[in-house]
Amino acid sequence: MEKTTFIARIGRIREFLLKPQVFLVLVLIASAVMRFIAWDWTPLLERDSVGYVNAAAVWAATGKYTVPQFPPLPCYLIKLLIQLGLAPETAARLYAFVPGCLVPVVAYALAMESTGNRRIARYAAIFFIFHPTLLFFSVMPIRDSLYILLAGLCLWIGLRAVRYQENRLWILYACCCALAWCCRHEGMEFLPLTALILFIELIRKRYTWRKAALHFLLVLLITPTLWFTIGFLTGGMEPFVLQSALVMNHFRDFIE
Amino acid sequence: MGAFFHKFFQTFFQQIPNGVCLVFAIGALVSTVFMLAKRHHRGKLFVILWAAFLFMGLWRCAKGIISIRYASIMIFPMVIATAFGCRRGEAWWRLLCRYFRCLPSWFGRVIALGCLIGCTGGALVIAHYKLNIQSRAFTTICRTVSDYRKLYPDLRVLVKHNDTERFTYHTQVPCIPLEDNQREFFAQGLNGITDPDGHFLLVVMERHLKGLEPRRDELRPGAKLSRVRAKRYRQSKRKNLDIYFYENPLSFSRIAAVSPAPPASPDDLLGPGAFGPSRSAAAFRSRPVPGGGGFRFTFVVSAEAVSGKAAAVEVRTVRRQGNGEVPTLQLRCPVKEKGIYRGVVTFRTPPGPFAICLDGLGTTVRLEQFRLTRAE
């Protein structure tokens, strides 16, 4: 009798811990702890990170963005944290740390959306907590941490948008694409990717031509507009012009 | 075409697996087989996700990537696929149990849990290795620099050009960029130092290259290069951390007064009148001296008028080559105020006559004494 009660209690605890909300909170805590440990492993900044910290510190002090070849959003966020009173290195580390902690949660959502299996989603979230590359991104102030989070969000929202075919989901997807593009130039690959996904859905006869065209047009209009707006508001015109040239080069390379 | 395929396969088999972590790359490969074998998965959104990542992967392979960071988005499908594989492993075991009834069914759970622990442990080991190793190498450098700075406050660090910003940030010591860590740039970088003040630490973090240090005859005469740290910091990639200490053979300092000229010596290769009759000017040029080997040029100048912050004294050697002349800067030192300065410069020249030029930049100097001797 006692044994049965004990097993039942264990079962209840397990059930409670595996509830999605509780599990995700645990994932967040574990993710933060793991990233703190990784932070302790890497007390010194690596090559590119130093560039970001210096650029943000100069930007905060003089108001001039000195590395217009990089998208301004990551440096702008670091600059905002510096202006809040944090030391440049702490601000930069924090900028990478917070999105890094959130990535396993997004991975859970993405795995859940794509496979429909809660256990696979749980495994994926656990793997993401310990992934070495992500740990590195989360403790080094480079643009990848935020980019990975936004790209994961793009994919998750994109899959939901394909499933539910709602306009507001496609608008949200376009906003995430634009933000990802503001972090890394590779973010623009979501534009041809959207076309590919919609084309596959058309072949599978889940979409009508009209709806597919409408949704693609939404993404095609909103993403570059928002990319320009965010780029202009954060970095001004000079980085925007330089980056437009870089993006054109990317497109030319892709076409060639 | 060959180069394209080389780049394609290098990205596919080397850079993408490195970027997403080898454990998950293998896991994803095994899981793809599981996925293709199970028909009903093809109807789900998983297919769209895979198609998307196939597109992203092929794009990267075709274009090539410089850093593994460019493949970071591939982490999502690889990790989700590995998680999928862990789950499918359990299902396949159950299928086996249906045919071989002697097999324990609970073992499926053990397989899934084993995969989970194995992948997590593998990832953790790689994370510790990757993050810790680089950091330990930097800590060694910073400690060495700080130790040497206590002895030599004017210490400077020479590093590969793309590392300058990082080293300046961590060591708080001015860094001078070297063009590359290759052997020829190593000697070139050291001989290119025309600054008479300061001692230099040279940091080399590179794959193990035999004979990286320049031969003695490739350095300036009187220069000393000694290795102060040697450490293999990454066994798998055979990366070495070497730190050298370079003692500068140049000097230029202010003195109180001109000491009486030493008696004429047969060692002096220039002799009186080598710089012509004018002893107060902006530029001096000696008569040609037969070259080949190491030389030491000692001089005393008095700076009579200093204009601007960029005022300096320069010593060059000029060789005739064909119809033209090849100048080589041997010493450049700032002159901040009027006064008497003594400088020593040691250099090596190829065979053939050469002349010594002493220029006052932004200053009028009076050449008080000079002497050129052979140096070993």
Side-chain angles (χ1 to χ4, degrees):
Chain A
M1 184 67 185
E2 266 181 22
K3 198 181 172 185
T4 320
T5 320
F6 177 71
I7 290 171
R9 197 178 293 161
I10 295 276
R12 273 203 300 278
I13 291 171
R14 185 177 169 275
E15 209 173 287
F16 173 73
L17 290 179
L18 293 182
K19 269 185 185 173
Q21 301 90 326
V22 179
F23 179 77
L24 287 179
V25 170
L26 288 177
V27 163
L28 259 180
I29 294 168
S31 174
V33 169
M34 201 53 228
R35 272 140 188 84
F36 269 121
I37 294 170
W39 191 334
D40 184 53
W41 284 342
T42 50
L44 302 175
L45 297 179
E46 60 96 49
R47 189 184 301 156
D48 291 3
S49 311
V50 171
Y52 282 101
V53 175
N54 285 343
V58 170
W59 198 0
T62 63
K64 188 159 169 51
Y65 185 52
T66 50
V67 279
Q69 68 274 23
F70 293 146
L73 184 65
C75 271
Y76 182 76
L77 293 175
I78 300 173
K79 186 197 93 170
L80 285 184
L81 288 172
I82 292 172
Q83 284 170 342
L84 282 176
L86 292 173
E89 191 175 328
T90 317
R93 292 258 196 179
L94 202 66
Y95 147 81
F97 187 86
V98 175
C101 289
L102 291 171
V103 170
V105 178
V106 174
Y108 178 90
L110 181 60
M112 193 63 211
E113 193 62 44
S114 58
T115 62
N117 188 315
R118 207 166 284 285
R119 192 180 285 183
I120 294 176
R122 281 202 289 262
Y123 283 4
I126 292 171
F127 288 152
F128 267 84
I129 295 173
F130 298 101
H131 197 287
T133 314
L134 291 177
L135 282 179
F136 177 74
F137 289 162
S138 309
V139 292
M140 285 298 152
I142 38 180
R143 48 202 162 139
D144 297 73
S145 177
L146 187 62
Y147 172 69
I148 288 278
L149 178 76
L150 290 167
L153 271 175
C154 273
L155 292 166
W156 176 49
I157 296 168
L159 288 185
R160 283 189 82 82
V162 165
R163 174 171 292 177
Y164 298 110
Q165 302 185 7
E166 286 177 11
N167 290 349
R168 59 181 179 170
L169 279 173
W170 280 106
I171 291 169
L172 197 62
Y173 168 75
C175 294
C176 281
C177 288
L179 282 170
W181 191 357
C182 284
C183 289
R184 281 194 81 99
H185 295 307
E186 286 90 69
M188 74 175 177
E189 75 189 320
F190 283 106
L191 290 180
L193 197 64
T194 311
L196 180 81
I197 289 174
L198 287 172
F199 183 68
I200 292 172
E201 288 301 284
L202 270 175
I203 292 171
R204 293 167 94 194
K205 293 182 179 162
R206 291 187 181 184
Y207 249 87
T208 57
W209 276 104
R210 212 173 145 182
K211 219 168 190 181
L214 172 74
H215 288 160
F216 184 63
L217 215 64
L218 265 179
V219 176
L220 204 62
L221 280 175
I222 294 171
T223 305
T225 313
L226 208 61
W227 172 70
F228 167 75
T229 313
I230 295 169
F232 181 70
L233 288 178
T234 53
M237 206 60 195
E238 190 197 348
F240 174 74
V241 171
L242 194 69
Q243 276 159 52
S244 301
L246 285 172
V247 167
M248 289 315 289
N249 282 347
H250 272 287
F251 263 120
R252 202 182 306 134
D253 285 353
F254 177 64
I255 291 161
E256 279 168 6
Chain B
M1 202 64 182
F4 172 79
F5 279 110
H6 175 73
K7 190 173 70 179
F8 189 95
F9 288 117
Q10 197 186 13
T11 310
F12 190 80
F13 288 109
Q14 202 177 332
Q15 288 185 300
I16 291 180
N18 267 344
V20 298
C21 177
L22 200 61
V23 178
F24 296 112
I26 296 167
L29 204 68
V30 175
S31 306
T32 311
V33 178
F34 279 138
M35 196 195 78
L36 291 174
K38 190 80 180 169
R39 188 172 278 271
H40 77 262
H41 281 292
R42 293 180 200 165
K44 290 192 175 172
L45 286 175
F46 203 32
V47 177
I48 293 183
L49 195 67
W50 266 108
F53 285 113
L54 196 67
F55 166 77
M56 286 173 171
L58 288 178
W59 181 352
R60 277 163 178 77
C61 288
K63 202 168 170 285
I65 52 176
I66 310 160
S67 156
I68 54 168
R69 275 166 51 195
Y70 290 83
S72 54
I73 197 171
M74 305 299 288
I75 292 170
F76 280 107
M78 299 284 193
V79 173
I80 292 173
T82 309
F84 176 81
C86 290
R87 183 79 185 96
R88 290 309 306 160
E90 188 184 339
W92 275 56
W93 182 260
R94 240 182 256 153
L95 198 73
L96 271 178
C97 286
R98 214 181 286 168
Y99 295 105
F100 304 99
R101 288 180 185 255
C102 56
L103 296 174
S105 62
W106 53 263
F107 195 69
R109 277 282 167 89
V110 176
I111 291 178
L113 209 67
C115 289
L116 183 73
I117 293 169
C119 291
T120 309
L124 209 57
V125 167
I126 294 172
H128 181 259
Y129 183 74
K130 266 189 180 173
L131 299 182
N132 224 358
I133 274 173
Q134 193 86 345
S135 186
R136 256 186 283 159
F138 279 129
T139 313
T140 309
I141 294 165
C142 289
R143 203 178 299 139
T144 312
V145 171
S146 121
D147 289 349
Y148 270 80
R149 210 182 179 188
K150 281 176 201 157
L151 299 171
Y152 307 101
D154 54 358
L155 186 79
R156 261 159 287 178
V157 181
L158 272 89
V159 282
K160 198 174 161 184
H161 63 97
N162 55 359
D163 267 336
T164 325
E165 201 176 5
R166 171 167 58 157
F167 278 93
T168 311
Y169 183 84
H170 288 307
T171 60
Q172 299 293 318
V173 167
C175 287
I176 299 167
L178 270 179
E179 201 166 329
D180 208 336
N181 277 346
Q182 302 294 321
R183 192 175 176 281
E184 58 270 27
F185 296 115
F186 199 83
Q188 202 179 309
L190 289 175
N191 287 335
I193 297 169
T194 52
D195 190 343
D197 298 321
H199 294 81
F200 297 87
L201 263 186
L202 186 76
V203 180
V204 183
M205 288 171 79
E206 204 44 87
R207 276 169 199 269
H208 185 67
L209 294 168
K210 275 188 181 168
L212 187 68
E213 303 101 72
R215 289 190 308 274
R216 202 173 167 166
D217 61 324
E218 284 178 322
L219 289 175
R220 281 174 186 275
K224 273 187 196 165
L225 186 73
S226 46
R227 182 151 47 181
V228 291
R229 286 268 191 292
K231 188 177 178 181
R232 176 159 285 194
Y233 76 98
R234 200 162 189 170
Q235 286 289 349
S236 62
K237 291 198 172 177
R238 296 195 300 149
K239 279 200 169 182
N240 272 13
L241 162 67
D242 290 317
I243 303 178
Y244 295 89
F245 182 61
Y246 179 70
E247 280 182 68
N248 202 348
L250 310 172
S251 75
F252 187 77
S253 53
R254 197 168 172 201
I255 53 174
V258 184
S259 53
S265 153
D267 296 346
D268 193 352
L269 300 167
L270 284 172
F275 281 96
S278 168
R279 290 175 67 80
S280 181
F284 302 90
R285 188 187 174 111
S286 77
R287 62 163 181 252
V289 185
F295 295 90
R296 178 177 290 112
F297 178 60
T298 313
F299 61 94
V300 176
V301 288
S302 51
E304 293 175 337
V306 179
S307 60
K309 284 182 183 174
V313 168
E314 268 187 11
V315 175
R316 299 168 194 276
T317 50
V318 180
R319 278 187 307 116
R320 187 171 286 282
Q321 199 173 55
N323 291 328
E325 288 187 332
V326 183
T328 311
L329 182 65
Q330 301 293 357
L331 176 82
R332 185 196 173 95
C333 26
V335 175
K336 286 175 186 155
E337 53 189 345
K338 284 184 193 175
I340 302 163
Y341 294 85
R342 183 176 184 273
V344 180
V345 51
T346 42
F347 54 89
R348 201 174 287 281
T349 64
F354 74 95
I356 294 177
C357 295
L358 196 144
D359 297 333
L361 306 172
T363 173
T364 307
V365 289
R366 184 179 167 84
L367 188 57
E368 305 286 357
Q369 290 171 5
F370 55 88
R371 196 175 174 201
L372 180 72
T373 51
R374 286 254 171 213
E376 288 308 312

